[in-house]
């Protein structure tokens, strides 16, 4: 009863939003043949972020949870991350001060997710969020604490992206 399926993590590239919607629906139908009551996580196209939400066609199924990943503001969460590109080093020193303006930007970014969740009566799981360890620890702590508590206030479950390496806390 505690096992949850996720069809695919961060669909992108050749898996266009249109292909993702077809694939997710087909995969869910196949899962339902053997696991009719199993909870299944459905992520958004375009790497699983909020930006892919408008392209997602949510299957009509009572046992699905919508999952998204969140790494904003990106210049804060990915400062110094070599895989992002050389511009990431230019972001070093970016702080997250936990101001009301910063919090409001995040709340606004999640407004479409709240609307979709309410419209489709679908629970939400934040499948990834985190900040790279090149950011100062106090900013990372404030950012993570705000988001975790805010997600909980929304009634959403969450998973921090990895605990002991580059994003580790």
């Amino acid at each position: 009863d505690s096992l949850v399926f996720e069809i695919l993590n961060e669909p992108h590239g050749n898996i266009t939003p249109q292909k993702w919607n077809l694939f997710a629906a087909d995969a869910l139908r196949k899962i339902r043949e053997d696991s009719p009551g199993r909870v299944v996580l459905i992520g958004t196209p375009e790497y699983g972020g909020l930006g892919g939400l408008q392209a997602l066609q949510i299957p009509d199924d009572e046992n699905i949870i919508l999952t998204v990943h969140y790494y904003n503001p990106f210049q804060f969460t990915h400062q110094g991350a070599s895989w992002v590109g050389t511009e990431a080093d230019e972001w070093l020193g970016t702080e997250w001060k936990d101001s009301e303006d910063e919090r409001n930007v995040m709340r606004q970014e999640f407004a479409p997710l709240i609307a979709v969740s309410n419209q489709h009566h679908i629970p939400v799981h934040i499948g990834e969020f985190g900040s790279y360890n090149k950011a100062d620890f106090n900013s990372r702590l404030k950012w993570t604490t705000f988001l975790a508590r805010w997600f909980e206030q929304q009634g959403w479950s969450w998973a921090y992206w990895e605990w002991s390496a580059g994003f580790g806390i």
Side-chain angles (χ1 to χ4, degrees):
D1 289 345
S2 61
L3 178 66
V4 176
F5 293 157
E6 180 172 8
I7 294 173
L8 182 65
N9 182 52
E10 295 187 352
H12 65 281
N14 290 333
I15 303 175
T16 64
Q18 296 78 16
K19 287 181 182 177
W20 172 239
N21 286 323
L22 292 172
F23 179 74
D26 288 347
L28 185 61
R29 272 193 297 279
K30 188 66 177 169
I31 289 168
R32 291 296 174 237
E33 290 176 12
D34 293 319
S35 299
R38 177 79 55 208
V39 174
V40 176
L41 294 168
I42 303 280
T44 60
E46 307 295 330
Y47 289 94
L50 291 170
L53 185 61
Q54 73 266 4
L56 180 65
Q57 294 174 0
I58 298 173
D60 184 20
D61 188 295
E62 292 185 12
N63 289 313
I64 59 174
I65 297 174
L66 180 57
T67 184
V68 298
H69 298 175
Y70 187 75
Y71 292 101
N72 287 345
F74 196 74
Q75 291 173 334
F76 167 70
T77 64
H78 282 69
Q79 59 186 291
S82 60
W83 67 91
V84 172
T86 56
E87 67 270 15
D89 286 341
E90 297 170 15
W91 307 333
L92 287 168
T94 302
E95 295 181 344
W96 200 78
K97 300 179 191 269
D98 198 26
S99 70
E100 197 58 32
D101 286 343
E102 289 170 315
R103 288 176 171 211
N104 284 334
V105 166
M106 290 178 163
R107 290 179 188 120
Q108 290 169 6
E109 289 179 336
F110 281 102
L113 181 60
I114 293 170
V116 166
S117 175
N118 290 338
Q119 176 186 357
H120 294 276
H121 308 288
I122 185 171
V124 170
H125 173 68
I126 306 301
E128 289 182 20
F129 76 112
S131 59
Y132 192 53
N133 66 11
K134 299 283 181 162
D136 76 273
F137 182 77
N138 287 332
S139 290
R140 295 177 71 217
L141 183 62
K142 291 176 195 174
W143 182 86
T144 303
T145 300
F146 168 71
L147 283 173
R149 298 301 80 83
W150 190 79
F151 295 154
E152 291 162 359
Q153 289 170 1
Q154 308 316 304
W156 301 343
S157 58
W158 56 265
Y160 187 85
W161 174 245
E162 64 100 344
W163 292 99
S164 63
F167 283 72
I169 56 171

